[in-house]
Amino acid sequence: MTTARETVLGRVRDALALAPAADTPVPRAYRTGRTLPDTERLALFTDRLVDYKAQVHPCTADRTAEVVAEVLRERGARRIGVPAGLDPRWLTAHDGEVQQDSADIPAPRLDALDGVVTASAVSCAETGTIFLDGSPDQGRRALSLVPDLHVCVVDLSTVQVGVPEAVARLVPERPTTLISGPSATSDIELERVEGVHGPRTLAVVIRTDV
């Protein structure tokens, strides 16, 4: 008697045998190469972030440490996690504890942190999306998902207008995390609930001259 597993696999084999031998070309005629002046790109990105209920803190590069410390202080965040490659100058004004993350730290232990500070790879102004690619200054995915507060530093020079422009700057082989505001979902009555699948608060420090 044929088992259900054999039946399913047999149908898969039959479908593969009937499939075209060559790959089907995918049309990629979407818009690319769009640009905007810095002020317009910053305004669009900020508008989308605020709409997603993220906190936005524009500053010049020389005020990065000051603004990051202000954000942490306002949230009462004393014990902070950071990826190993984060610029240490960004935390010189923070007077609390800084814990450098590593793969040896179990993900559940990250919940004891008050927040995390990371850099970013690229962002999309049109959708208000920040891309993390696991680089040394961004860390592993768990670090940006488990703590309740995520302070993300974004250089305006890495903010692209649209999704095609942003994706073009990513390395396909790197693990990519897309962030559009704090983690949120809706219950059965469509009531918004934040912090279920990630940080309850997203604070974006945008360095406008970098």
Side-chain angles (χ1 to χ4, degrees):
M1 180 179 295
T2 304
T3 65
R5 179 176 182 274
E6 292 170 338
T7 300
V8 171
L9 292 178
R11 290 177 180 176
V12 171
R13 284 191 291 269
D14 292 342
L16 291 175
L18 296 173
D23 292 336
T24 302
V26 178
R28 304 186 184 277
Y30 43 73
R31 293 184 299 174
T32 59
R34 289 178 294 164
T35 60
L36 284 174
D38 286 353
T39 53
E40 294 182 28
R41 204 166 69 258
L42 174 61
L44 179 61
F45 187 44
T46 300
D47 176 75
R48 297 299 190 269
L49 287 170
V50 171
D51 189 54
Y52 281 131
K53 300 187 183 303
Q55 301 174 4
V56 182
H57 305 270
C59 70
T60 53
D62 61 341
R63 294 191 64 242
T64 305
E66 177 185 345
V67 174
V68 168
E70 288 177 358
V71 173
L72 296 175
R73 187 164 50 250
E74 288 173 0
R75 301 298 305 181
R78 299 283 300 166
R79 190 181 184 193
I80 302 304
V82 298
L86 190 75
D87 190 336
R89 294 172 297 179
W90 294 359
L91 291 172
T92 54
H94 174 58
D95 58 0
E97 179 184 349
V98 177
Q99 177 179 304
Q100 183 172 296
D101 187 43
S102 75
D104 297 329
I105 300 176
R109 282 179 52 189
L110 298 175
D111 193 42
L113 298 171
D114 297 324
V116 57
V117 179
T118 75
S120 57
V122 65
S123 298
C124 173
E126 199 167 57
T127 63
T129 304
I130 300 170
F131 297 73
L132 308 184
D133 67 0
S135 293
D137 59 357
Q138 296 154 55
R140 54 177 173 159
R141 183 168 296 172
L143 181 63
S144 62
L145 291 179
V146 177
D148 201 47
L149 166 67
H150 182 188
V151 180
C152 188
V153 179
V154 174
D155 293 341
L156 183 58
S157 61
T158 67
V159 179
Q160 304 299 303
V161 176
V163 173
E165 292 82 11
V167 171
R169 294 195 53 170
L170 295 171
V171 179
E173 294 77 17
R174 298 198 65 84
T176 305
T177 301
L178 279 63
I179 303 171
S180 295
S183 170
T185 187
S186 297
D187 61 19
I188 195 171
E189 296 179 351
L190 300 182
E191 292 291 333
R192 180 182 173 96
V193 180
E194 296 175 354
V196 177
H197 307 297
R200 192 186 313 272
T201 302
L202 173 66
V204 184
V205 177
I206 306 175
R207 308 201 304 168
T208 57
D209 58 343
V210 179

